[in-house]
């Protein structure tokens, strides 16, 4: 099919168009054969349904696929019975199960999220987790749980919600999606991560709080040769909307991998946001050029803090080689410089398109990565100075509670808020053919996403999820998420053995990595193997012979 024909009659409107044609032809045939009145009536009704679908503003899938969308709803309706008897359960689909998506849709729409007839989970299966409750539950008045981010070197600390929108760039998401996310964040008082695509006009339009992510491409603060520009950074960071600066070292979707946005996709709006030429390949290198050692990274943190006028500056990373993270930690001890925050991105984070090998087999999952970072900061005695965020497949109140219990101070979610926008998990994000207008730059598809309606859903999703978190905390006898500890979450190891996270993992003691002969915390064998040879002035690997020995220990 030619591009010209697609522009005239988009494929997604075919069902509606066919109904209209059948209606007209059948109506004409009724002049000769009266019995054609029945198909003419049926086709006319479907044509009218298509018009209503195209015009309504509540459901993006119906706006983009008039008439045809109802077949999806029909099969979705009968799908539980088909799956129950012939295929699979609600919890078996990946990346997100139908049950996970359903709870987000319900909370985003403000409808009942209650479930009858008890759990569908196998509570005796290994790795099943739960929270212990108290016989003396508390009463919590407000579910707007907040933490303060910013240490003594920060003159403009930020009061953040414990649940926020993770980094997703304009270009990866549509303009309407960015507008709806930011407007929802404004209403709910939580922040919206910009992604490394910089602060676009659509981020600014909603007026919501922003965390500006600075990636290796330095979009929005780059010179013509792709290097960092202090002057451009200072100008953009001065915006009152920009509350924090996040230096992205790596991301869970494709850690250690750069990216290229082909020139054909670099529209004037994307070029404006990223400060790159229109129609020219937009390159994100695999590593930064503004620093090359752990010590230089921390000096870059100080530089950005000063250029931003004292706003919180932190780093975001997916954990890879442990000695590289330990090198950053040692650089903190040597220089006395600590970032205001660290965001740990688990490898299960996945809004960015990536090669299959990276998607499935590169990077450390969130639980192990978060515990490693938390224990390291405790071990070097700076945990109280550095706030820790976490992202990676966090969508429900229990996901938040479990993650905070494992050492985080707050959580970010990307795909959770994409579902709130109407994402169907069609997994066509990288093709430009998103059926709901969330991840496309096609204005015809994008129109399906009606900003006021979806902003309300983003707001309600956030509010109702935090309300559910409040109920969990109250049931556990707590008053604030900061009171959650590893002792509150229990994991089943086998059909006859359970352990709390506190007992399952051995945790670092404050300051035990400091001193001439530090005692490696027993929480992880990696400390005993890699800590001693980590170098604050290099990300390089230890000597080959030592690595060979270490691999045997692990």
């Amino acid at each position: 099919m030619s591009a010209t024909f697609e522009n005239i009659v988009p494929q997604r409107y075919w069902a509606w168009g066919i109904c209209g044609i059948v209606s007209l032809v059948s109506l004409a045939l009724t002049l000769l054969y009266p019995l054609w009145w029945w198909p003419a009536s049926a086709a006319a009704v479907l044509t009218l349904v298509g018009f209503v679908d195209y015009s309504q503003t509540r459901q993006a899938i119906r706006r983009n696929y008039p008439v045809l969308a109802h077949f999806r709803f029909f099969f979705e309706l009968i799908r539980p019975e088909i799956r129950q008897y012939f295929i699979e359960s609600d919890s078996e689909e990946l990346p997100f199960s139908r049950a996970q998506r359903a709870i987000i849709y319900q909370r985003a729409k403000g409808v009942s999220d209650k479930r009858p007839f008890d759990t569908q989970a196998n509570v005796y299966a290994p790795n099943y987790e739960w929270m212990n409750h108290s016989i003396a539950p508390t009463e919590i008045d407000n579910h707007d749980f907040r933490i303060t981010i910013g240490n003594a070197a920060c003159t403009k600390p930020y009061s953040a919600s414990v649940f926020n929108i993770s980094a997703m760039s304009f270009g990866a998401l549509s303009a309407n999606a960015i507008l709806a996310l930011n407007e929802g964040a404004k209403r709910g008082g939580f922040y919206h991560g910009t992604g490394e695509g910089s602060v676009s006009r659509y981020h600014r339009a909603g007026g919501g709080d922003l965390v500006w992510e600075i990636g290796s491409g330095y979009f929005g603060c780059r010179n013509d040769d792709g290097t960092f520009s202090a002057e451009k950074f200072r100008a953009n960071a001065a915006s009152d909307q920009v509350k924090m600066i996040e230096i992205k070292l790596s991301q869970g979707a494709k850690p250690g991998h750069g990216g290229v946005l082909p020139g054909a996709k670099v529209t004037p709006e994307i070029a404006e946001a990223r400060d790159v030429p229109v129609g020219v390949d937009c390159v994100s290198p695999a590593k930064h050029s503004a620093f090359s050692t752990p010590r230089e990274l921390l000096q870059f943190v100080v530089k950005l803090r000063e250029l931003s006028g004292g706003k919180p500056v932190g780093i975001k990373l997916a954990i890879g080689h442990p000695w590289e993270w330990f090198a950053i930690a040692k650089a903190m001890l040597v220089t006395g410089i600590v970032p205001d925050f660290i965001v740990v991105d688990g490898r299960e984070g996945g809004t960015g398109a990536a090669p299959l090998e990276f998607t499935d087999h590169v990077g450390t999952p969130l639980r192990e990565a978060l515990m490693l970072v938390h224990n390291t900061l405790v071990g070097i005695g700076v945990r109280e100075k550095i706030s820790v965020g976490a992202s990676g497949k966090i969508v429900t109140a229990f996901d938040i509670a479990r993650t905070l219990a494992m050492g985080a101070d707050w959580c970010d979610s990307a795909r959770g808020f994409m579902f709130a926008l109407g994402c169907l998990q069609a997994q066509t994000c990288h093709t430009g053919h998103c059926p709901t207008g969330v991840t496309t730059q096609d204005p015809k598809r994008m129109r399906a996403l009606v900003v006021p309606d979806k902003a309300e859903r983003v707001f309600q999703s956030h509010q109702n999820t935090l309300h559910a978190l409040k109920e969990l905390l109250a049931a556990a006898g707590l008053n604030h998420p900061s009171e959650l500890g590893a002792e509150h979450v229990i994991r089943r190891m086998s059909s006859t053995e359970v352990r709390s996270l506190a007992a399952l993992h051995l945790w670092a003691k404050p300051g035990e990595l400091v001193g001439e002969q530090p005692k490696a915390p027993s929480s992880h064998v990696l400390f005993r193997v890699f800590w001693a040879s980590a170098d604050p002035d290099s990300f390089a690997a230890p000597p080959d012979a030592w690595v060979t020995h270490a691999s045997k220990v692990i």
Side-chain angles (χ1 to χ4, degrees):
M1 182 179 63
S2 69
T4 302
F5 186 70
E6 164 67 14
N7 291 334
I8 297 173
V9 185
Q11 282 182 305
R12 56 189 182 278
Y13 298 152
W14 278 15
W16 183 23
I18 289 172
C19 290
I21 293 171
V22 171
S23 176
L24 293 175
V25 172
S26 299
L27 187 61
L29 288 173
T30 57
L31 299 175
L32 299 175
Y33 307 100
L35 288 178
W36 276 92
W37 170 255
W38 295 105
S41 300
V45 169
L46 290 177
T47 303
L48 180 61
V49 168
F51 178 77
V52 173
D53 289 341
Y54 181 80
S55 303
Q56 57 82 41
T57 60
R58 294 285 295 172
Q59 292 178 302
I61 187 68
R62 287 172 59 200
R63 281 171 69 84
N64 260 342
Y65 294 89
V67 180
L68 195 61
H70 293 276
F71 287 93
R72 175 190 179 273
F73 297 146
F74 171 74
F75 286 112
E76 190 74 11
L77 181 65
I78 67 172
R79 187 179 181 187
E81 286 72 28
I82 295 175
R83 181 174 53 245
Q84 178 180 357
Y85 294 109
F86 301 108
I87 306 176
E88 59 188 6
S89 72
D90 277 353
S91 61
E92 290 179 344
E93 297 178 36
L94 293 174
F96 286 85
S97 70
R98 185 171 182 269
Q100 287 175 307
R101 288 181 280 128
I103 194 70
I104 300 170
Y105 296 148
Q106 290 162 350
R107 287 174 175 167
K109 294 176 183 178
V111 300
S112 176
D113 59 358
K114 304 302 185 287
R115 176 180 293 167
F117 223 66
D118 204 20
T119 181
Q120 296 181 17
N122 182 355
V123 299
Y124 294 102
N127 296 320
Y128 173 76
E129 293 177 325
W130 69 92
M131 281 182 63
N132 278 344
H133 67 281
S134 171
I135 59 173
T138 57
E139 293 185 7
I140 304 175
D141 295 330
N142 189 0
H143 59 263
D144 184 23
F145 302 116
R146 310 195 76 81
I147 62 162
T148 299
I149 303 175
N151 56 44
C154 171
T155 59
K156 295 180 180 179
Y158 175 59
S159 175
S161 171
V162 297
F163 188 46
N164 303 279
I165 302 173
S166 192
M168 294 180 284
S169 301
F170 168 56
L173 298 191
S174 69
N176 284 11
I178 295 293
L179 286 168
L181 288 172
N182 197 257
E183 187 176 320
K186 172 70 173 178
R187 291 189 57 190
F190 53 103
Y191 76 66
H192 177 193
T194 67
E196 68 173 306
S198 189
V199 183
S200 71
R201 65 175 71 176
Y202 302 108
H203 288 97
R204 297 187 182 95
D209 292 350
L210 298 174
V211 173
W212 183 13
E213 183 175 271
I214 308 295
S216 57
Y218 305 114
F219 301 127
C221 56
R222 58 187 270 135
N223 296 309
D224 292 340
D225 61 357
T227 57
F228 175 74
S229 169
E231 292 74 18
K232 292 180 179 179
F233 173 83
R234 182 188 287 111
N236 275 330
S239 169
D240 289 337
Q241 267 187 271
V242 176
K243 302 299 183 182
M244 301 197 298
I245 314 297
E246 179 179 273
I247 305 169
K248 190 189 84 169
L249 303 182
S250 55
Q251 68 183 72
K254 45 182 177 181
H257 191 284
V260 178
L261 184 64
K265 294 185 178 181
V266 182
T267 65
E269 291 176 320
I270 291 176
E272 175 190 51
R274 301 192 180 200
D275 196 22
V276 298
V278 177
V280 177
D281 289 352
C282 182
V283 179
S284 296
K287 63 180 181 179
H288 283 260
S289 60
F291 54 85
S292 59
T293 69
R295 191 190 298 262
E296 290 176 356
L297 166 61
L298 297 182
Q299 291 169 346
F300 190 57
V301 168
V302 173
K303 181 177 182 178
L304 296 191
R305 192 186 284 140
E306 293 173 349
L307 290 171
S308 67
K311 295 180 179 180
V313 178
I315 61 176
K316 169 184 173 179
L317 78 165
I319 294 297
H321 294 313
W323 60 79
E324 294 177 348
W325 160 243
F326 292 154
I328 295 173
K330 279 193 170 181
M332 295 182 200
L333 289 176
V334 171
T335 63
I337 300 171
V338 293
D340 295 290
F341 64 92
I342 295 173
V343 175
V344 183
D345 201 17
R347 66 146 316 280
E348 60 269 50
T351 57
L356 176 66
E357 292 83 359
F358 280 78
T359 299
D360 289 345
H361 301 293
V362 179
T364 304
L366 178 59
R367 298 184 189 185
E368 289 76 12
L370 175 59
M371 286 191 293
L372 184 63
V373 169
H374 172 75
N375 279 322
T376 303
L377 297 179
V378 170
I380 64 176
V382 300
R383 181 63 181 86
E384 297 302 317
K385 300 178 181 179
I386 302 176
S387 300
V388 176
S391 57
K393 216 169 183 180
I394 298 170
V395 296
T396 69
F398 179 73
D399 293 337
I400 297 172
R402 176 183 57 207
T403 305
L404 300 185
M406 297 177 70
D409 295 306
W410 85 88
C411 296
D412 291 340
S413 178
R415 286 172 291 180
F417 285 104
M418 286 175 65
F419 289 134
L421 289 173
C423 169
L424 301 174
Q425 195 170 266
Q427 300 185 64
T428 58
C429 310
H430 59 298
T431 67
H433 296 150
C434 174
T436 56
V438 176
T439 62
T440 180
Q441 298 304 310
D442 182 347
K444 295 179 181 178
R445 289 178 177 271
M446 194 192 311
R447 69 169 293 279
L449 198 158
V450 179
V451 173
D453 176 64
K454 296 305 184 285
E456 172 68 13
R457 294 192 183 189
V458 169
F459 166 71
Q460 289 197 128
S461 178
H462 178 266
Q463 292 294 300
N464 290 327
T465 300
L466 286 188
H467 185 271
L469 177 63
K470 182 188 79 168
E471 292 183 329
L472 281 179
L473 295 173
L478 306 176
N479 293 288
H480 191 273
S482 60
E483 299 174 16
L484 281 164
E487 68 276 9
H488 292 111
V489 179
I490 314 300
R491 183 181 302 167
R492 179 172 294 284
M493 308 305 296
S494 69
S495 60
T496 57
E497 180 185 7
V498 300
R499 294 185 186 180
S500 70
L501 296 184
L504 182 62
H505 304 284
L506 299 176
W507 302 84
K509 299 177 181 178
E512 67 178 322
L513 287 172
V514 180
E516 294 183 1
Q517 293 183 333
K519 297 179 181 179
S522 56
S523 59
H524 208 297
V525 67
L526 295 180
F527 285 97
R528 299 198 302 270
V529 175
F530 292 114
W531 176 261
S533 62
D535 185 354
D537 289 305
S538 176
F539 287 117
D544 291 344
W546 188 88
V547 173
T548 300
H549 169 71
S551 64
K552 293 179 180 179
V553 175
I554 296 174

